[in-house]
Amino acid sequence: MDNEVRIIISGGGTGGHIFPAVSIANAIRTIEPEAKILFVGALGRMEMQRVPAAGYEIKGLPVRGLIRPLWSPRNIGVAIDYLKSKRMVRKIIADFQPQVAVGVGGYASAATLDAAASMGIPCLIQEQNSYAGVTNKHLAEKASKICVAYDGMERFFPADKIIKTGNPVRQNLLQTTMSREEAVSSFGLDPSRKTILLVGGSLGARTVNESVLQHLDEVEKSGMQFIWQTGKYYHQQILDALAKRPALPNLKVLDFISDMGAAYKAADLVISRAGASSISEFCLIGKPVILVPSPNVAEDHQTKNAMALVDKDAALYVRDADAPATLLPLAMKTVADEARLQALSQHILQLGLPDSADVIAREVMKLRK
């Protein structure tokens, strides 16, 4: 057992936390195929399904986020669940005996790394955003290494612990062998036309969807084509709205896109929220993008993520409140400007950090006790 590699990885809540966590685990397994890797997540959150689907065991904690306003009496229950989760993690650690604990953000990672640090387990934090979250800022003093994706993170963390690694991304996005023409054709569209991809996450983004619905006449007359992931939550109401008007053959409407590698390959321009994982993907594939940051995230970190690119002329930005009026006109103007697309692509490619998961995995292995 002394020679075994045993690593705990904790975090989740969103795909933006889960994809990097699984990528790091896969990279550790590439270095040491027999590594024992245990995930710790929050009960009822998406990691409890996504992690086992990726082939890893996961333990669930009853941990949950603080309720706003912070003085809400319901936070007494949140605090009790947090303390219960820390006790559970101590038992998990005693049984599993990890050599390193990795936190990728999310409710579970605070309880896990808190407990691990108190038990003398070296800890590594992976911060995806350009503005550090409350959990990772709290954990920073207990961490041995902090892996980041943006410059200037010494605002939040001790400079001597920081390693700029970038964010791990879904490898299948980088490995697609389709040509652009094949990718466009796979969606039943015309490869000779400019193609705009709109994505708002697996659940959708109401503002992005409304931006399309308010400009259907322009879509019809544009001579361009659109791949539109509505999200499962909004899909039926959008289909109902579209059924009231003549069909739009240049508008491919999907509730969820399973092959995002093909979707990105097909797109001349992407419209997206500004989650850290998505931005890292755009940087690595060099895809021109208009970012519409979600206003419903902690500390407005998506706007900060977007502006880190906009300040380098590596992306365009539309404020959520302005999107219904301005997003589609800007997208159609931009995709028709080949020089602008080329400049955006070149600038965003310069920000990509390849092999992030491998770099982080090597740092994890260095911390083994």
Side-chain angles (χ1 to χ4, degrees), residues 275-298:
S277 289
S278 296
I279 285 178
S280 293
E281 291 168 357
F282 302 141
C283 290
L284 287 174
I285 61 178
K287 191 59 60 173
V289 61
I290 301 176
L291 297 169
V292 187
S294 170
N296 306 311
V297 295

Side-chain angles (χ1 to χ4, degrees), residues 57-70:
E57 181 184 0
I58 187 167
K59 303 283 189 182
L61 306 176
V63 67
R64 51 204 170 101
L66 289 168
I67 295 162
R68 308 287 179 178
L70 294 179

Side-chain angles (χ1 to χ4, degrees), residues 107-280:
Y107 304 141
S109 108
T112 302
L113 267 67
D114 251 351
S118 72
M119 297 173 73
I121 308 297
C123 297
L124 179 145
I125 293 171
Q126 200 260 322
E127 172 58 63
Q128 290 111 26
N129 293 295
S130 63
Y131 192 91
V134 172
T135 296
N136 281 348
K137 284 190 283 189
H138 165 70
L139 294 170
E141 65 183 53
K142 304 172 184 181
S144 300
K145 293 290 181 183
I146 303 170
C147 297
V148 303
Y150 292 89
D151 294 324
M153 298 304 286
E154 60 275 5
R155 292 175 295 159
F156 310 108
F157 304 130
D160 60 337
K161 296 182 179 183
I162 293 173
I163 305 171
K164 188 178 177 185
T165 61
N167 288 324
V169 302
R170 294 172 283 182
Q171 287 306 113
N172 61 322
L173 298 181
L174 307 178
Q175 295 167 351
T176 181
T177 57
M178 283 186 176
S179 66
R180 178 190 175 277
E181 290 72 21
E182 290 169 336
V184 173
S185 296
S186 74
F187 288 95
L189 296 172
D190 180 356
S192 69
R193 289 191 179 192
K194 291 288 189 180
T195 303
I196 297 172
L197 170 67
L198 303 105
V199 288
S202 58
L203 296 178
R206 184 188 61 79
T207 305
V208 173
N209 290 338
E210 190 61 33
S211 300
V212 182
L213 289 174
Q214 290 192 20
H215 295 274
L216 291 174
D217 289 340
E218 292 97 317
V219 167
E220 181 179 18
K221 299 170 186 174
S222 67
M224 300 164 186
Q225 55 196 6
F226 302 79
I227 302 169
W228 181 13
Q229 180 182 278
T230 63
K232 296 180 186 297
Y233 182 79
Y234 300 100
H235 190 62
Q236 190 55 53
Q237 68 189 66
I238 287 170
L239 291 181
D240 292 344
L242 292 173
K244 297 175 182 176
R245 58 170 296 136
L248 294 170
N250 63 330
L251 183 63
K252 181 72 173 180
V253 183
L254 302 160
D255 64 339
F256 180 74
I257 299 172
S258 56
D259 188 350
M260 284 305 299
Y264 286 156
K265 180 69 78 169
D268 297 289
L269 176 71
V270 179
I271 292 170
S272 173
R273 289 304 201 188
S277 289
S278 296
I279 285 178
S280 293

Side-chain angles (χ1 to χ4, degrees), residues 52-133:
Y56 294 98
E57 181 184 0
I58 187 167
K59 303 283 189 182
L61 306 176
V63 67
R64 51 204 170 101
L66 289 168
I67 295 162
R68 308 287 179 178
L70 294 179
W71 46 258
S72 168
R74 289 188 293 169
N75 279 324
I76 295 172
V78 173
I80 291 170
D81 283 344
Y82 182 79
L83 293 174
K84 180 180 178 182
S85 295
K86 279 187 69 173
R87 289 195 298 272
M88 291 172 66
V89 172
R90 293 182 71 87
K91 174 70 163 58
I92 291 168
I93 289 173
D95 291 342
F96 185 66
Q97 297 184 35
Q99 297 144 335
V100 185
V102 179
V104 298
Y107 304 141
S109 108
T112 302
L113 267 67
D114 251 351
S118 72
M119 297 173 73
I121 308 297
C123 297
L124 179 145
I125 293 171
Q126 200 260 322
E127 172 58 63
Q128 290 111 26
N129 293 295
S130 63
Y131 192 91

